[in-house]
Amino acid sequence: MLRWCAIVLLVCTGAFGNPTPEMPAAYDTIIIGMGAAGCTAASTLSKAGKKVLALEAMDRIGGRVNTVPFGDGVVEVGAEWIHGTEQSRVYNLAIQNNVSVLPQDIDFEVYRSDGSIGDKKVLNELLTFSLSVIDDPPETPEPLGQFITRRLKDYMKEKYPALLADQDFIDNLLEFLDLVIDNYESSNSWNEVSTESKYTELGGYQHMSWHRHGYKTLFEILLNTYNNGPGYPNLDIKLKKEVTQIAWPQDPTQDVVVYCKDGSSYRAKNVIVTVSLGVLKERHSSLFSPSLPKEKTEVIQNLGIGVVDKVVFLFPKPWWPDTETFHGFVWNGADRATVSKDDSWITKIFGVSTPLGSSTALTLWTSGEGAKLVETLPEDVVKRKAMELIRRFMGKNRTIPEPIAMLRSSWYSNPYTRGSYTYDNLSTPQYPHARATLAEPLVDSSGAPRVLFAGEATDNTHFSTVHGATDTGFREANRLLTKAKL
Ligand SMILES: Cc1cc2nc3c(=O)[nH]c(=O)nc-3n(C[C@H](O)[C@H](O)[C@H](O)COP(=O)(O)OP(=O)(O)OC[C@H]3O[C@@H](n4cnc5c(N)ncnc54)[C@H](O)[C@@H]3O)c2cc1C
Ligand SMILES: *[C@@H]1O[C@H](CO)[C@@H](O)[C@H](O)[C@H]1NC(C)=O
Ligand SMILES: *[C@@H]1O[C@H](CO)[C@@H](O)[C@H](O)[C@H]1NC(C)=O
Ligand SMILES: *[C@@H]1O[C@H](CO)[C@@H](O)[C@H](O)[C@H]1NC(C)=O
């Protein structure tokens, strides 16, 4: 049956044997995936007058950014903040378009599992100290948790000897810090994370929120549709188009052909692949024909992608103090011991945050193996257990109402993401060029790039972020534009 279809196709196009080299490619470039990297590449190439086709598997644009209407505003199911405002393409696009983004503070209100309120000042000081030592790593790489623990204990020896002597306090503080780090890194434990990382922070505000505009505004700006903009006439975007194979030629006169799950195929001079590292891990062997070179498949295996998920509740009205962005949950050893093994994921939630896009929503964060487990649990179980948790920590002096709606992410189960973002684990220092290798284009016999790679994982210093992903889309679009000028 397959063979018969193929013959009919050949007869119809009159192209027996090899495809006719004279036939012009329908597009200059095909972009696979319309997340931050893909949209930036599409925007850059379209502005330069290229004919671009964008193929996106999901039914929406944005990828790991997903702004959803919720309550009286919106919430972010994926990326929430612009991390750093200096030299940020993302921040600059907001400002240039008069979109007022707002800074949020990383100050924690701290609740204990017995319902009391923790010493906010001391706990925030210890948290800030712990995060700051990351910028001053040891000469020999070691597990991040081990390093922070050592530095923190040294610091407390001087300043808080009585607290340092309280073993239960230290144990629970370290558990809490571990969870905060895991939610930054998408790791399962802070001891999986290496102190040696090429990640660098941008300067300026670290938690800039798109609040009621939503992160989706970035994509409207990029695609020239913001404020009823007309878009780009030379950019063709197709949603619900899962790409199953990219056939790329050695022969400089032939096109790249991209095959989709629905049976359609498209041709172009070149292709920019922006799918996540998780998707590459799962399908690289079937996605590329011929297969990827060994250097690349090794990197795909050895780099790590983790999971961070959110559970967002909508309440009839806000019942929490609106002074802080974060409400941290610090367990006591005795209370933690009463939680059954099946429910232990609730002890892996560092607390809740108040999203700025909606005035009556609260976000719970999970990470690592806990997050993967929560994705598999029925909605009513997650809701009941999570509300028990919130009431245990924040409900001592108030009656917390039942939520009226709930949203949750499933970035690991999602076949088009297979994880939240990449991080440098203990093996990464052995592969110092991993991200650069992942970013290397596949070239034909004339040396022209035919398959290019963008996406957060390919940024050496700003991986795991939207601004990093955006930079890689710009980088690969420019690789093509400068080549064309030669
Ligand atoms: C919960 C969470 C919180 C985060 N918080 C922040 C934050 O506060 N600040 C920040 O800067 N970053 C944050 N991030 C990270 C940020 O979202 C990502 O780094 C960034 O969005 C990645 O963009 P990308 O273009 O590289 O990949 P993606 O956004 O994953 O884009 C790739 C696209 O390819 C598509 N695709 C996959 N397979 C196929 C296929 N076979 N065919 C066609 N299309 C396909 C996907 O559907 C997707 O749309 C967060 C991420 C998560 C999940
Ligand atoms: C932003 O606001 C300034 C001042 O009001 C105005 O001059 C400019 O045109 C605006 N830019 C955009 C992109 O709307
Ligand atoms: C509840 O009130 C008591 C007494 O005022 C106080 O000690 C405790 O910290 C409060 N707990 C919370 C969670 O507000
Ligand atoms: C780091 O991550 C990679 C990819 O997931 C994995 O193969 C490797 O075993 C991890 N290293 C360690 C020390 O856990």
Side-chain angles (χ1 to χ4, degrees):
M1 189 59 180
L2 254 174
R3 181 171 290 269
W4 183 79
C5 291
I7 289 168
V8 169
L9 202 81
L10 288 176
V11 170
C12 292
T13 56
F16 281 100
N18 289 327
T20 35
E22 298 78 20
M23 196 176 75
Y27 297 96
D28 291 309
T29 301
I30 296 174
I31 295 171
I32 300 172
M34 281 301 260
C39 287
T40 308
S43 174
T44 310
L45 291 171
S46 302
K47 257 190 218 161
K50 297 292 173 190
K51 200 161 167 12
V52 180
L53 170 66
L55 301 173
E56 167 55 55
M58 293 199 239
D59 59 2
R60 59 174 184 83
I61 281 167
R64 283 171 272 171
V65 174
N66 185 15
T67 306
V68 176
F70 205 52
D72 61 1
V74 295
V75 292
E76 304 295 346
V77 177
E80 182 127 3
W81 295 285
I82 304 172
H83 288 314
T85 47
E86 285 166 19
Q87 276 117 47
S88 166
R89 194 178 302 284
V90 175
Y91 178 71
N92 288 344
L93 284 172
I95 296 306
Q96 284 156 14
N97 287 276
N98 293 340
V99 180
S100 62
V101 287
L102 292 174
Q104 277 189 294
D105 250 326
I106 183 130
D107 238 21
F108 273 86
E109 186 67 81
V110 183
Y111 300 82
R112 316 291 310 258
S113 50
D114 62 8
S116 67
I117 289 197
D119 186 334
K120 187 186 158 185
K121 196 178 145 283
V122 172
L123 283 162
N124 275 292
E125 179 188 332
L126 298 178
L127 174 69
T128 308
F129 175 81
S130 302
L131 296 176
S132 73
V133 302
I134 301 174
D135 300 332
D136 178 24
E139 228 149 78
T140 318
E142 65 178 294
L144 184 60
Q146 180 185 303
F147 173 66
I148 292 180
T149 301
R150 192 171 65 245
R151 293 291 311 271
L152 183 67
K153 284 185 172 171
D154 287 346
Y155 180 79
M156 291 178 70
K157 208 181 283 170
E158 299 291 318
K159 248 192 124 172
Y160 299 107
L163 280 181
L164 185 60
D166 181 345
Q167 194 58 44
D168 196 46
F169 174 84
I170 291 294
D171 289 348
N172 296 312
L173 172 65
L174 293 176
E175 286 275 354
F176 174 71
L177 294 175
D178 184 351
L179 293 179
V180 172
I181 297 280
D182 290 335
N183 276 276
Y184 263 96
E185 299 280 349
S186 78
S187 49
N188 188 46
S189 148
W190 63 349
N191 281 321
E192 275 181 1
V193 182
S194 174
T195 51
E196 180 169 309
S197 172
K198 294 197 167 61
Y199 184 83
T200 44
E201 264 180 10
L202 298 179
Y205 288 104
Q206 293 305 312
H207 292 84
M208 210 37 124
S209 167
W210 291 84
H211 58 105
R212 283 173 192 276
H213 299 293
Y215 228 130
K216 70 169 174 26
T217 308
L218 169 66
F219 297 80
E220 295 167 5
I221 294 172
L222 283 170
L223 299 176
N224 197 27
T225 57
Y226 181 59
N227 264 344
N228 301 314
Y232 291 109
N234 48 330
L235 168 63
D236 193 356
I237 301 174
K238 295 187 194 296
L239 302 179
K240 293 193 260 180
K241 276 282 184 186
E242 178 181 330
V243 170
T244 49
Q245 194 177 63
I246 301 157
W248 58 285
Q250 273 300 308
D251 180 346
T253 64
Q254 287 185 16
D255 294 332
V256 179
V257 187
V258 174
Y259 297 91
C260 297
K261 197 175 180 184
D262 64 5
S264 56
S265 63
Y266 304 91
R267 291 165 172 277
K269 288 183 198 139
N270 43 58
V271 172
I272 303 179
V273 179
T274 75
V275 305
S276 73
L277 179 69
V279 171
L280 286 177
K281 277 181 191 286
E282 186 171 82
R283 16 174 126 186
H284 74 81
S285 59
S286 60
L287 198 52
F288 299 92
S289 170
S291 327
L292 292 178
K294 192 158 154 282
E295 309 88 79
K296 256 201 166 51
T297 58
E298 258 174 22
V299 163
I300 289 169
Q301 263 163 25
N302 291 319
L303 274 178
I305 180 164
V307 188
V308 168
D309 273 319
K310 297 179 182 178
V311 176
V312 194
F313 288 124
L314 187 69
F315 293 95
K317 58 178 198 283
W319 50 262
W320 50 90
D322 63 356
T323 44
E324 318 295 336
T325 307
F326 294 97
H327 305 273
F329 297 166
V330 180
W331 287 82
N332 299 333
D335 290 331
R336 188 195 303 271
T338 65
V339 177
S340 76
K341 195 157 170 286
D342 280 353
D343 294 345
S344 64
W345 60 271
I346 66 158
T347 67
K348 300 282 181 197
I349 292 171
F350 78 77
V352 296
S353 67
T354 49
L356 274 187
S358 164
S359 58
T360 57
L362 269 190
T363 304
L364 250 101
W365 299 71
T366 59
S367 56
E369 293 303 321
K372 286 187 193 173
L373 174 77
V374 173
E375 288 188 19
T376 67
L377 296 176
E379 183 129 337
D380 61 312
V381 173
V382 176
K383 181 172 162 187
R384 185 158 41 82
K385 297 289 172 188
M387 284 310 298
E388 271 173 33
L389 176 78
I390 293 175
R391 289 193 175 107
R392 175 200 278 269
F393 281 87
M394 301 178 78
K396 182 106 173 188
N397 300 332
R398 52 172 82 88
T399 306
I400 297 178
E402 271 300 286
I404 50 179
M406 169 179 161
L407 259 183
R408 59 177 170 152
S409 63
S410 49
W411 296 110
Y412 180 68
S413 331
N414 186 330
Y416 307 125
T417 53
R418 289 284 184 243
S420 297
Y421 41 89
T422 61
Y423 67 101
D424 283 350
N425 75 5
L426 296 181
S427 315
T428 315
Q430 294 165 36
Y431 309 95
H433 308 296
R435 294 178 192 277
T437 303
L438 191 60
E440 280 290 307
L442 305 172
V443 299
D444 65 21
S445 63
S446 75
R450 308 305 291 274
V451 181
L452 299 85
F453 294 83
E456 102 7 66
T458 70
D459 196 298
N460 218 15
T461 53
H462 300 134
F463 56 86
S464 80
T465 64
V466 176
H467 61 268
T470 303
D471 284 351
T472 66
F474 190 69
R475 179 192 71 207
E476 295 310 315
N478 276 308
R479 192 192 298 274
L480 291 173
L481 293 173
T482 47
K483 272 277 182 308
K485 272 189 216 121
L486 287 177

